[in-house]
C-alpha cells in the first residue's frame, strides 16, 4: 500500500463525511413507515390501537380504522403528517399520533437513500468477492510455508491461547460493567412481563460442532461457509506438510501465485475504501428513525451504553497487550490498522474486512507465514467484541427477568459466550443468532432477543471493530514470540521446486520429518 498515512486519513474523512451525509439525509429524507413495522396509533378521542403494516407481497392489507378502506399497505414510506392525513379510528375521529414500536427492517427508502445504498454495496460486494479465494490461498500457503508440523503446532497453540484468552477477558470486562451499571433493572420496569416479538432462529451446540465439517467443500465455498471452508483448507494444508515439499510443489506454486494475484486485487478494491465506507455509514445513518430510536432508548439505552463502555475498555486492553507483548507502539498499531478498523466499522463484517486486515498487517513487521494463518482463522473464530456482547446481553436479560446469576453461573456465561462467539459467522448481527446457546446454558428464555435487533447496528459496528483489532493484536504478539520466523525470509517460493511438466507422477510419497 503506498502513501499509507494519507490513506488512513482519507478513510477517516470518509467516515466523517458519511456521518454528516447520513444525518442530513435522516433529517431531510426520513425513511418513514416500513413494511413489517408495528405502529401504535392514537386518535383524538383517546383510542389507542396497534397496527402491523403487512410485509409480504401476499400479506392481507389491514384496515387502520376498521371503517373505511384505507389500508396499511399505503402507509409504507410515508412519514410525519402525510402518514396521519386521512386516517381515522373506528368512531371517525382523526388519528393524531402514530409511533413505531417495533421495526423488522428498512426496505422502502427515498430514491437518494437507495442510491447511497447501491454505492456502498458495490464496495462491500467487491470485498466479499475476494474472501473465498483469499482464505483458500492464504491459509494454504501460510500453513504449507511454515515447513513442518512442529512449527505449525507452536504457532497454532500460541494463537489459540491468545484468541481464547482475550475472548475470556472480554467477557469478564462485559460482565463487570453489567454487574456495576445494572442496565437490566431499567429495562425490567418498562418491559413488565410483555413477551418479546418475532422469534429468532435458535442454534444448539450440536449444530455448531457439526457445522465445522463440511460434507461438500465445494458447497461450503459456494455458500460462503467460512468455517467449513477453513476446516477443509487447514486439513488439506496439513496433508501437504505431511507429504513434503517435493510432491506438493505444483499445488503450492499455484496457490502462492493465486495469493499474489488476490493481493493485487485487494489493493485495487482498497483504494475505494474512503468512498465505500462513507456510503455504507451514510446509508446506516439515513435509515435510522429518530423517534423509533428514542422509543427503544428508554429500555435499552443503558444497556447500549454498558456495551459501548465495555467494548472501549477491551479495545484499550488489546492495545496495552500490543505494547507489552507485541512490542509495538499502540499508536502506530492504530494508525496501521486504521483502514481495517474503519472498514469493519462500516461493513459490520469481519469476513468482508479480512482482505483489508491482511493488507494492514503487512506494515507491522509480521511474517506472511504467521499472518496467513493467524488472520483468516481469527476473522472466522476470534471475536472478542462478540463474546463480550453475548455475555453482557445475557446478564442484562437475567437482570431484566429478575433471575440472579451467581459467580458460577456467570462463569458459565463467560465460557459459553466464547464458544458462541467462535461459532458466530463474521457477518452483520451474527452474534445475536448464536446468543440462544448462552441463554439456554443458564436456563433463560430467548423471547426478548429480538428486541436487541433494533439497536444492533451501531453496537455491531463497534464490536466488529474490536473483533478485527483482536485478530491483528494476536498476530503481532505471535510474531514477537517467534522472532525466528522472520518477515525477511518470507519468500519461500524457491524452496518449492518449480513445476516440471514432464515429471513422473508416481514418485513415492516422502514424509517430511523435519
Ligand atoms: N458482525 C460481527 C463480525 O462480523 C459478528 C457479530 O458480533 O455479530 O465480526
Amino acid at each position: 500500500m503506498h502513501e499509507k498515512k494519507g490513506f488512513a486519513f482519507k478513510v477517516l474523512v470518509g467516515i466523517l463525511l458519511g456521518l454528516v451525509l447520513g444525518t442530513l439525509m435522516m433529517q431531510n429524507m426520513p425513511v418513514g413507515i416500513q413494511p413489517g413495522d408495528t405502529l401504535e396509533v392514537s386518535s383524538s378521542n383517546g383510542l389507542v390501537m396497534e397496527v402491523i403494516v403487512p410485509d409480504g407481497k401476499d400479506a392481507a392489507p389491514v384496515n387502520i380504522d376498521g371503517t373505511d378502506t384505507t389500508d396499511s399497505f399505503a402507509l409504507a414510506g410515508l412519514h410525519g403528517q402525510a402518514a396521519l392525513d386521512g386516517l381515522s379510528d373506528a368512531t371517525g375521529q382523526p388519528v393524531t399520533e402514530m409511533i413505531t414500536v417495533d421495526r423488522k427492517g428498512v426496505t422502502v427508502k427515498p430514491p437518494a437513500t437507495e442510491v447511497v445504498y447501491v454505492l456502498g454495496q458495490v464496495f462491500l460486494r467487491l470485498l466479499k468477492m475476494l474472501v473465498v479465494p483469499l482464505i483458500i490461498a492464504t491459509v494454504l500457503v501460510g500453513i504449507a510455508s511454515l515447513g513442518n508440523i512442529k512449527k505449525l503446532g507452536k504457532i497454532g497453540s500460541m494463537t489459540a491461547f491468545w484468541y481464547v484468552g482475550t475472548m475470556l477477558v472480554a467477557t469478564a470486562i462485559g460482565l463487570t460493567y453489567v454487574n456495576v451499571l445494572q442496565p437490566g433493572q431499567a429495562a425490567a420496569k418498562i418491559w413488565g412481563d410483555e413477551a418479546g416479538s418475532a422469534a429468532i432462529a435458535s442454534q444448539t451446540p450440536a449444530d455448531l460442532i457439526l457445522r465445522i465439517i463440511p460434507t461438500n467443500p465445494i458447497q461450503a465455498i459456494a455458500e460462503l461457509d467460512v468455517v467449513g471452508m477453513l476446516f477443509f483448507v487447514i486439513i488439506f494444508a496439513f496433508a501437504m506438510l505431511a507429504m513434503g515439499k517435493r510432491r506438493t510443489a505444483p499445488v503450492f506454486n499455484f496457490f502462492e501465485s493465486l495469493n499474489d494475484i488476490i493481493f493485487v486485487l485487494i489493493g485495487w478494491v482498497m483504494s475505494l475504501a474512503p468512498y465505500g465506507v462513507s456510503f455504507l455509514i451514510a446509508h446506516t445513518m439515513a435509515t435510522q428513525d429518530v423517534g423509533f430510536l428514542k422509543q427503544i432508548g428508554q429500555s435499552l439505552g443503558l444497556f447500549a451504553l454498558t456495551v459501548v463502555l465495555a467494548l472501549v475498555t477491551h479495545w484499550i486492553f488489546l492495545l496495552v497487550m500490543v505494547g507489552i507483548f507485541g512490542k509495538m507502539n499502540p499508536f502506530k498499531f492504530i494508525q496501521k490498522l486504521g483502514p481495517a478498523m474503519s472498514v469493519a466499522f462500516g461493513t459490520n463484517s469481519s469476513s468482508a474486512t479480512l482482505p483489508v486486515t491482511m493488507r494492514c498487517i503487512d506494515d507491522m513487521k509480521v511474517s506472511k507465514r504467521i499472518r496467513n494463518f493467524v488472520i483468516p482463522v481469527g476473522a472466522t473464530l476470534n471475536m472478542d467484541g462478540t463474546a463480550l456482547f453475548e455475555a453482557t446481553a445475557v446478564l442484562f436479560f437475567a437482570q431484566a427477568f429478575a433471575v440472579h446469576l451467581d459467580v458460577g453461573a456467570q462463569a458459565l456465561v463467560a465460557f459459553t459466550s466464547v464458544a458462541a462467539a467462535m461459532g458466530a459467522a463474521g457477518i452483520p448481527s451474527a452474534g445475536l443468532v448464536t446468543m440462544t446457546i448462552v441463554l439456554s446454558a443458564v436456563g433463560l428464555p430467548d423471547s426478548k432477543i429480538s428486541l436487541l435487533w433494533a439497536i444492533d447496528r451501531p453496537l455491531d459496528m463497534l464490536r466488529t471493530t474490536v473483533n478485527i483489532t483482536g485478530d491483528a493484536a494476536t498476530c503481532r504478539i505471535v510474531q514477537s514470540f517467534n522472532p525466528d520466523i522472520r518477515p525477511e525470509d518470507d519468500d519461500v517460493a524457491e524452496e518449492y521446486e518449480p513445476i516440471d511438466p514432464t515429471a513422473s507422477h508416481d514418485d513415492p510419497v516422502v514424509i517430511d520429518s523435519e
Side-chain angles (χ1 to χ4, degrees), residues 192 217 303 320:
F303 168 67
V320 173

Side-chain angles (χ1 to χ4, degrees), residues 330-344:
F331 295 103
K332 258 211 178 118
F333 176 82
I334 298 176
Q335 189 204 328
K336 307 268 185 222
L337 196 64
M341 288 194 295
S342 7
V343 171

Side-chain angles (χ1 to χ4, degrees), residues 22-30 286 290:
T23 313
L24 288 174
M25 292 173 78
M26 174 172 67
Q27 278 166 354
N28 299 308
M29 300 170 211
V290 182

